[in-house]
Each structure stands twice: as C-alpha cells, then as structure tokens.
Amino acid sequence: MKKHHLFLAIAVLLTALLASCTNTHVFEDGYYFQAMGEEAEIVVTVDTQKARAARPSILGVDDSLLTSLLDRSTRVSVSLSKDEYSEDDPYPADISSMNVSGAVEGDYSKFMINTGLGFSKEFSKVKEDGVKFYTDKENSIEVASPTSGVILFTNDSYPELYDRTIKNRVINISAEKAALIGESVMGLYVRSPRTMIQLGFEIPLTVIVQMSDAVMYVVEKEGVFYLNADITMKSDSLAKTLNTLLRNQVVAEIKRNGGKPDFKVLGQQYMADGDRVLIRDREMSESDLQAFEAQIKLASGSLI
C-alpha cells in the first residue's frame, strides 16, 4: 500500500483544529487487533508510545504533518492477507501484492477526521451497505473514523473491515497471546500461516505452513532490544525440528563472525516444549532491528 494524501489531510486538520478534549476509545474486550488474526492473516502491531520512547526511528517518517498524526497515536495495527494463495507466490511474502487493512488508535476526533476527509479534494465519500467511508481517486484505499480514537484504513473492503473489527467483533487472538504482543514495543501474530514476511529467520515455507500459530514480539530493556517468540507447531516432532533449525542457524552465524557458540545460553534461548518452540531474550543486532523495522514500515504502507 502506498502512502496517500489521507494521512496528510488528517494531519493538517489536527494541526489546525486541536481539540481541547481527549478523543480516545477503549475496547472493553481487549485490544483492537484481537479481532484481526483470522486464518492465514498476518497481524503486525506497534505500541507507538513505547516506540517513540525506546527507538524513534521505528516511527521515522519524512513528513512533519504525518509526524503530527503519529504523535497523537498510541498504537498502529495492520493485517496482511490474500484472497487466494498459490504455490507460485513469492516467499517471503511480497507485501505489495497483499490485502492490507488496519487501524491507527490515538487521540482523534471522529468528527474532525471524517470532516477533513470530506473536504479533501483527494477523497470522495462513499456509502456501501449503510457504512460511510472515503476513497481516493484511484480507489486504492478506503478510510474513515468509525468512532473517536480509531481510524480504519484498507486497500480491500472498508465495510468488511468495519464489520469484523468494530461492529460485530469476534476475538481471534487469545488474551494471553495478545498480551505478549500488546505489551511489547512491536509484535506479530499469525494463525495457520500460508506465507510469512521477512523477519530475519531463514525458515522454509514447508515449515511455516506446519505452524498452528506464532507470536513474535520485541521488548526493550535498558536500551537493548530482544526478540521473543511462542510458536506452536502441528506436532511435537515438528517443534523439535524447528528448534534445531533455529539453533543451527544461530550457531552458524556466530561461527561466521568468528565467535564461539555458548550452547548453554542457546539452550536457554531456544527451547522445544511439547508442540511449542520458545525463543527467549534473543538480543537483536542493529541490522536485525533495521530489517524488522523495514518490514513493519512496508506492512503499514509507510504509515510508520
């Protein structure tokens, strides 16, 4: 998804008409993104407040007005999916060819956002199945604020996104797993994946599709970032295979860099527990962080 004028239009309005009251929204059943995460749907979420404090480059954008929009945000969540998957699809996934939907949460007035879009020459108002939203001239993005505190956007169907994540919400991500990514700086969830974005692991697609679900999340401690993961495989033996694969990759990388692997430490970082593979406190290098950030930015259509 390309960056469009909608975010600039919203930012202009916010800059000109800052409201004195707070316009946020609390989902009583958990996090907004818990209504994402349908089968094969990759969910990426960033706590923008933690990101601003721990690593501002995660939210690095080139436009001052877009920055003002993000300054009022608390979280950006994005889902990636395809209508159909094929053996010929590129792997890792080509994000530009996927359906991208999401939400920006923060201090936003529904009236101000929708009024700004309504006055923008770049957007036209549409009503479909009783749902009002705005689309650009190329019909490449649909956007609106369904309630104060939330801006929804998609390159697919806004009415469908609104229905499944706001109006008729069904929780797809458990509270336990949502807490892992919700309390992190940034995280990812996928159930029954058919593909995966590039995250620094060289995991064959044949292994990816054997996952029941996966949670990956980045936490920050005293300026150091750590990658954690809870991956559930379809059998105990598959979990052991994946754990061995991941450990061997780390050992090979350490040796390539002239180091000596500490197998005791690796045993504490990469563990197979029944049908689950657990990664705990894997310190991320600067290149790891930059690669992770790049995928986050691609997934959000350069919103972050």
Side-chain angles (χ1 to χ4, degrees), residues 99-117:
N99 298 330
V100 180
S101 300
V104 186
E105 299 173 78
D107 184 5
Y108 307 120
S109 161
K110 172 184 176 180
F111 172 77
M112 290 168 61
I113 296 300
N114 292 334
T115 299
L117 290 168

Side-chain angles (χ1 to χ4, degrees), residues 117-268:
L117 290 168
F119 276 104
S120 171
K121 295 180 180 179
E122 301 294 331
F123 291 87
S124 301
K125 188 174 182 179
V126 179
K127 186 174 183 180
E128 184 178 315
D129 299 328
V131 179
K132 298 177 183 178
F133 58 95
Y134 301 84
T135 184
D136 63 352
K137 295 177 182 178
E138 294 80 20
N139 292 319
S140 61
I141 189 167
E142 298 177 353
V143 60
S145 174
T147 182
S148 288
V150 181
I151 305 169
L152 299 184
F153 60 92
T154 180
N155 65 356
D156 191 20
S157 169
Y158 180 93
E160 180 181 328
L161 176 65
Y162 168 73
D163 183 74
R164 73 185 180 97
T165 65
I166 301 290
K167 184 179 180 181
N168 295 305
R169 286 172 57 85
V170 174
I171 297 301
N172 294 308
I173 305 176
S174 70
E176 179 183 5
K177 293 181 178 180
L180 293 176
I181 56 178
E183 294 172 7
S184 67
V185 177
M186 49 188 171
L188 175 149
Y189 172 86
V190 64
R191 174 165 58 93
S192 300
R194 299 288 301 277
T195 189
M196 182 59 71
I197 60 177
Q198 179 61 262
L199 294 174
F201 297 108
E202 295 181 9
I203 304 176
L205 182 58
T206 53
V207 177
I208 291 289
V209 297
Q210 294 299 322
M211 294 179 179
S212 295
D213 68 8
V215 180
M216 302 179 186
Y217 53 102
V218 176
V219 298
E220 180 267 337
K221 302 174 184 177
E222 298 181 351
V224 180
F225 289 82
Y226 299 90
L227 177 66
N228 296 270
D230 287 33
I231 303 170
T232 304
M233 302 298 291
K234 293 181 178 179
S235 71
D236 292 7
S237 61
L238 286 168
K240 290 179 181 178
T241 299
L242 175 59
N243 189 57
T244 300
L245 173 64
L246 293 172
R247 277 201 206 180
N248 288 345
Q249 287 183 4
V250 174
V251 169
E253 182 180 358
I254 292 173
K255 289 182 177 180
R256 273 197 308 271
N257 294 330
K260 183 177 180 180
D262 186 329
F263 290 98
K264 182 178 181 180
V265 171
L266 287 175
Q268 297 170 339

